[in-house]
Amino acid sequence: MYRQASRLLTRALSGGGHRSTASSRSFSTDLPAAPSEDTAFVEAWRKVAPNIDPPKTPLAFMKPRPPTPSSIPSKLTVNFVLPYQSEISNKEVDMVIVPATTGQMGVLPGHVATIAELKPGVLSVHEGNEVTKYFVSSGFAFVHANSVTDIVAVEAVPVDRIDPSLVQKGLADFTQKLNSATTDLEKAEAQIGVDVHSALNAALSG
């Protein structure tokens, strides 16, 4: 029943020789003022499965954001979260610098909306004369047009809590594993270890 409903639903949303509301909706980092349902999806669902309540869509779970201000604010609002805890929540700072895969990216108030993939490196949070540095393994930075930046990392640790001797040992171990690897999987795992520990070493020396 669900398989048939989903197939008919896809046809209802994409058929008819014209673009549906869902497919023509423009992308935006600004969410509505209040949570709303996708009316086009609900209407199409009720046509093919009138006796089953429509499932929730992401819009039902997304918290509203303030609208994009008409003028650039003086501060950048930052949220920095890990899978198991929140490091920074709605904190106003001057700037953050994230280790994007395209290079170090500085984010100031009024930054253009951007999604950046993170690589192993240093995330620095600048607040006046204070700079807090974290080493992040990977993740994403979501820079919104309303001077709000959400940073989601897989793992992170303050740079001052990293043990340099363990970094050197880990780098030597993974380099040895890379040199002795015989399969593609072993080479890939060892290369990841070398890359991460090299970035850790650079964070400590930089």
Side-chain angles (χ1 to χ4, degrees):
M1 175 64 184
Y2 279 109
R3 187 174 303 172
Q4 181 181 5
S6 62
R7 184 167 57 249
L8 294 173
L9 182 60
T10 303
R11 188 183 307 163
L13 285 173
S14 60
H18 64 278
R19 296 183 65 188
S20 68
T21 303
S23 62
S24 62
R25 184 184 300 120
S26 60
F27 290 97
S28 173
T29 57
D30 294 328
L31 301 183
S36 61
E37 64 180 14
D38 191 328
T39 54
F41 175 82
V42 172
E43 290 175 3
W45 177 273
R46 295 202 183 283
K47 289 179 181 178
V48 298
N51 298 323
I52 303 176
D53 291 335
K56 296 289 187 180
T57 62
L59 282 176
F61 303 100
M62 298 171 74
K63 294 181 180 179
R65 294 195 178 279
T68 302
S70 57
S71 60
I72 297 176
S74 60
K75 295 289 186 177
L76 176 73
T77 301
V78 174
N79 298 296
F80 177 29
V81 297
L82 305 173
Y84 50 86
Q85 69 183 32
S86 173
E87 283 288 338
I88 299 174
S89 178
N90 289 323
K91 186 174 184 178
E92 291 188 342
V93 301
D94 296 315
M95 176 179 68
V96 294
I97 300 177
V98 299
T101 54
T102 54
Q104 292 292 104
M105 184 177 78
V107 182
L108 293 163
H111 195 287
V112 65
T114 306
I115 298 177
E117 183 181 359
L118 306 183
K119 65 179 180 180
V122 176
L123 163 73
S124 58
V125 182
H126 298 251
E127 185 180 9
N129 294 326
E130 291 187 13
V131 180
T132 305
K133 295 184 178 181
Y134 299 87
F135 183 85
V136 297
S137 62
S138 58
F140 287 90
F142 302 89
V143 183
H144 306 282
N146 54 10
S147 294
V148 175
T149 296
D150 297 325
I151 301 168
V152 183
V154 175
E155 188 60 81
V157 62
V159 171
D160 57 9
R161 290 175 54 189
I162 300 174
D163 188 335
S165 61
L166 292 179
V167 172
Q168 294 296 330
K169 182 179 183 301
L171 181 57
D173 290 345
F174 278 106
T175 300
Q176 183 178 359
K177 289 181 181 180
L178 181 61
N179 294 333
S180 61
T182 57
T183 66
D184 290 341
L185 178 59
E186 291 176 347
K187 291 178 181 178
E189 290 177 342
Q191 186 63 59
I192 292 172
V194 169
D195 292 344
V196 171
H197 282 79
S198 295
L200 278 165
N201 194 42
L204 294 173
S205 61

